[in-house]
């Protein structure tokens, strides 16, 4: 890891390949690519979209375009070229040869960011695993890199098959070791989660596209000081804090890693486990930057990932976990936009508009979350021995006790009947007392 150094001057090139289906238009993609580069401290010397009519299998761009990139690099003193797309190992090597500079593609860039941000043991292991997986596919070119790491054997000459084989074996062994370590870490986390599941607090997960404002909202609601910045992938490891809500004494709010279009497959797999926590939530708040021109495309990306996680079954089907859409950055809308969108939001129970930055709308959001967590409550009856102080106290503390009456006697014990409103989660908790 760490192939890109902070402060490196780079050219950001966004290929626009004819006939390719993109989720975002070229300009938005270029903007996002710049955001990714900035997130790792790269200095953008210049950036542009480059239309590609026919993909050259060994170079991606046409020869003339490559020469133009080289000249632009020289003129701008750029030592690195970021290509916002997937490069095959061959394309990457040939481009590096022709440009006489380091070339990094979108996957490589995202891996770098994740490598820098991962803070927990699990996050670091996941990223290293993803990185090795990526490197493994790229051995044609990266043998020198590994050679240098191992130190000193380079003078024996070119890599040759055996060298690549040896490198492959080394990577495979390292990956196997990492997988074992990960399994261990996850086992421990599994225990934690189990413990939390038994804890009588509902979990609310904030999910959404990167930079949508999840951490800003999290900080506002919890008074925590999670890193919230105008940076893509500011958050990598999930964070949790307790909050209180109208009608819900205590809930756990969880901030999660942001999504992005074309997340490298290696990372989707790597972060699946972390995001699986989301599927165990009682409510998902899908935080959207409603002021962003690509907001709709970003929403579809997020829904796609939620689909992959199994939260959403298919179009039209009810999600396994209820989802509340949070239209954030309301303060950035102009009056016309705000008026138009307000109409849509007001008519839809599943949407709430707010500004995490100014706090406008946050109280309404809390009300809605409280409602959603308690809405599916139903009235149930329990008959308990009057000596069962623990469970009786629990019902009074957590449920809405509508009626309490004498219920006769059984085996010398006096019984009481309770008519209580409980939501399914509370009912489950009561059962397991
Ligand atoms: N104007 C405005 N800016 C906001 C609002 N909410 C968040 N921001 C800004 O948007 C940027 C991103 O916010 P974060 O909270 O870090 O976003 P995130 O969703 O946690 O991003 P990742 O962790 O990268 O996925 C920051 O510069 C925030 O100050 C808002 O309601 N209004
Ligand atoms: Mg964040």
């Amino acid at each position: 890891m760490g192939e890109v150094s902070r402060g490196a001057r780079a050219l950001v090139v966004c290929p626009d390949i004819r006939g390719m289906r993109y989720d975002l238009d070229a300009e938005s993609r270029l903007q996002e690519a710049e955001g990714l580069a900035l997130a790792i401290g790269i200095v953008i010397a210049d950036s542009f979209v480059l239309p590609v009519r026919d993909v050259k299998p060994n170079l991606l761009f046409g020869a003339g375009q490559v020469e133009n990139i080289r000249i632009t690099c020289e003129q701008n003193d750029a030592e690195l070229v970021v290509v916002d797309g997937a490069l095959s190992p061959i394309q990457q090597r040939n481009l590096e040869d022709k440009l006489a500079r380091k070339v990094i593609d979108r996957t490589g860039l995202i891996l770098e960011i994740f490598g820098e941000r991962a803070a927990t043991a699990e996050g670091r292991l996941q990223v290293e695993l993803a990185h090795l997986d990526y490197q493994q596919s790229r051995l044609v070119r990266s043998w020198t890199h590994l050679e240098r790491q191992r130190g000193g054997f380079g003078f024996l000459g070119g890599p040759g098959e055996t060298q690549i084989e040896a490198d492959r074996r080394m990577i495979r062994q390292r990956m196997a070791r990492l997988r074992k370590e990960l399994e261990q870490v996850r086992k421990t986390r599994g225990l934690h989660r189990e413990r939390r599941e038994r804890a009588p607090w509902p979990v609310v997960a904030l999910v959404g596209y990167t930079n949508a404002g999840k951490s800003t909202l999290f900080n506002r609601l919890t008074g925590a000081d999670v890193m919230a910045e105008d940076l893509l992938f500011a958050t990598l490891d999930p964070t949790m804090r307790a909050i209180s809500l109208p009608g819900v004494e205590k809930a756990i709010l969880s901030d999660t890693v942001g999504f992005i279009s074309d997340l490298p497959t290696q990372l989707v797999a790597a972060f699946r486990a972390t995001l699986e926590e989301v599927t165990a939530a009682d409510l998902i708040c899908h935080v959207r930057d409603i002021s962003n021109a690509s907001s709709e495309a970003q929403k579809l990306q997020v829904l796609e990932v939620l689909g992959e996680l199994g939260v959403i079954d298919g179009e039209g089907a009810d999600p396994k976990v209820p989802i509340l859409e949070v239209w954030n950055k309301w303060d950035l809308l102009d009056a016309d936009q705000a008026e138009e969108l307000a109409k849509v939001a007001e008519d839809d129970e599943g949407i709430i508009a707010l500004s995490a930055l100014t706090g406008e709308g946050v109280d309404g959001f809390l009300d809605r979350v409280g409602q959603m967590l308690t809405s599916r409550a139903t009235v149930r009856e329990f008959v308990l021995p009057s000596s069962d102080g623990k469970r009786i106290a629990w019902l009074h503390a957590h449920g809405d006790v509508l009626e309490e009456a004498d219920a006769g006697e059984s085996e010398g014990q006096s019984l009481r009947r309770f008519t209580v409103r409980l939501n399914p989660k509370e009912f489950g908790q009561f059962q397991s007392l």
Side-chain angles (χ1 to χ4, degrees):
M1 265 180 255
E3 289 197 55
V4 175
S5 41
R6 290 197 151 259
R9 285 177 66 79
L11 205 65
V12 177
V13 184
C14 176
D16 192 28
I17 301 170
R18 194 174 60 170
M20 180 109 141
R21 229 201 100 257
Y22 291 107
D23 293 312
L24 306 177
D25 60 65
E27 275 308 316
S28 311
R29 280 186 287 122
L30 181 64
Q31 226 178 32
E32 192 172 276
E34 290 171 1
L36 287 172
L38 292 172
I40 188 92
I42 286 171
V43 178
I44 299 172
D46 195 6
S47 68
F48 47 85
V49 174
L50 209 52
V52 176
R53 219 163 290 144
D54 301 297
V55 174
K56 303 279 179 300
N58 55 359
L59 211 57
L60 180 65
F61 303 107
Q65 290 179 317
V66 175
E67 181 55 14
N68 276 338
I69 296 176
R70 196 187 61 77
I71 292 170
T72 315
C73 280
E74 306 239 296
Q75 285 169 345
N76 288 284
D77 210 10
E79 60 200 279
L80 173 73
V81 177
V82 174
V83 177
D84 184 40
L87 290 174
S88 72
I90 305 280
Q91 288 170 340
Q92 185 177 19
R93 187 189 54 190
N94 289 341
L95 281 172
E96 288 192 333
D97 283 351
K98 289 245 180 325
L99 297 170
R101 283 172 175 78
K102 189 166 232 343
V103 173
I104 185 165
D105 72 354
R106 186 181 167 87
T107 301
L109 190 58
I110 294 178
L111 282 169
E112 292 281 335
I113 300 173
F114 276 59
E116 196 182 76
R117 296 269 198 287
T120 62
E122 186 176 17
R124 277 197 301 272
L125 289 170
Q126 282 171 337
V127 173
E128 193 179 347
L129 201 56
H131 211 273
L132 284 171
D133 190 18
Y134 178 69
Q135 235 173 41
Q136 190 178 30
S137 73
R138 237 137 255 262
L139 268 184
V140 256
R141 143 199 115 69
S142 52
W143 68 271
T144 36
H145 171 65
L146 291 170
E147 190 88 23
R148 242 179 292 119
Q149 274 188 348
R150 251 198 336 260
F153 299 107
F155 61 88
L156 287 177
E161 274 309 304
T162 44
Q163 186 59 60
I164 289 177
E165 270 313 305
D167 285 343
R168 274 224 172 95
R169 203 172 332 114
M170 194 174 86
I171 289 184
R172 265 203 308 271
Q173 283 165 356
R174 176 93 190 115
M175 285 176 80
R177 240 195 9 256
L178 286 173
R179 283 206 186 90
K180 253 194 213 137
E181 276 179 57
L182 251 181
E183 210 176 298
Q184 198 50 48
V185 173
R186 279 185 188 148
K187 253 188 218 147
T188 325
R189 194 167 53 91
L191 289 179
H192 288 161
R193 190 191 309 164
E194 238 171 68
R195 228 173 279 151
R196 205 168 47 241
E197 263 166 12
R198 265 186 272 122
W201 319 121
V203 175
V204 178
L206 301 177
V207 306
Y209 209 76
T210 181
N211 220 39
K214 300 176 293 296
S215 300
T216 307
L217 184 59
F218 183 84
N219 287 344
R220 175 166 286 280
L221 297 176
T222 63
D225 193 15
V226 166
M227 171 159 156
E229 267 182 59
D230 194 6
L231 262 189
L232 301 189
F233 296 120
T235 307
L236 254 202
D237 299 297
T239 315
M240 310 209 188
R241 289 277 193 297
I243 55 168
S244 78
L245 295 160
V248 182
E249 182 192 341
K250 191 170 165 186
I252 305 293
L253 189 69
S254 125
D255 185 19
T256 61
V257 59
F259 303 160
I260 195 162
S261 55
D262 302 320
L263 190 66
T265 47
Q266 288 97 341
L267 279 176
V268 174
F271 279 83
R272 170 168 302 236
T274 315
L275 285 169
E276 264 165 11
E277 304 253 342
V278 168
T279 61
D282 295 270
L283 174 67
I284 290 176
C285 294
H286 173 184
V287 181
R288 294 179 59 190
D289 175 356
I290 204 67
S291 74
N292 193 304
S294 307
S295 190
E296 199 56 37
Q298 295 179 345
K299 171 181 169 173
L300 294 178
Q301 286 292 327
V302 171
L303 293 184
E304 203 176 299
V305 180
L306 289 177
E308 280 167 27
L309 290 170
V311 173
I312 305 170
D313 265 342
E315 250 171 84
D318 266 348
K320 297 221 174 81
V321 181
I323 300 177
L324 175 62
E325 253 186 57
V326 180
W327 286 6
N328 188 33
K329 306 203 186 179
W330 197 257
D331 57 297
L332 293 180
L333 297 178
D334 63 42
D336 285 349
Q337 285 175 309
E339 196 184 340
E340 196 181 310
L341 288 173
K343 276 189 212 128
V344 183
E346 272 159 24
D347 284 348
D348 193 331
E349 285 264 286
I351 299 172
I352 194 106
L354 57 78
S355 165
L357 197 69
T358 68
E360 187 195 348
V362 168
D363 285 340
F365 165 76
L366 289 173
D367 283 341
R368 186 72 60 84
V369 171
Q371 267 166 28
M372 288 182 82
L373 285 178
T374 50
S375 65
R376 285 177 303 156
T378 46
V379 176
R380 296 166 199 273
E381 287 204 347
F382 304 99
V383 176
L384 300 170
S386 33
S387 60
D388 191 352
K390 181 180 162 202
R391 307 218 297 168
I392 291 171
W394 193 95
L395 282 181
H396 281 289
H398 299 276
D400 184 5
V401 180
L402 303 174
E403 208 186 312
E404 181 177 343
D406 206 55
E409 240 177 70
S410 162
E411 295 171 11
Q413 287 219 49
S414 70
L415 300 175
R416 293 188 76 71
R417 181 187 315 278
F418 295 87
T419 312
V420 190
R421 196 196 310 274
L422 288 179
N423 64 31
K425 185 175 178 75
E426 290 162 341
F427 179 59
Q429 285 152 5
F430 179 74
Q431 299 292 82
S432 64
L433 276 184

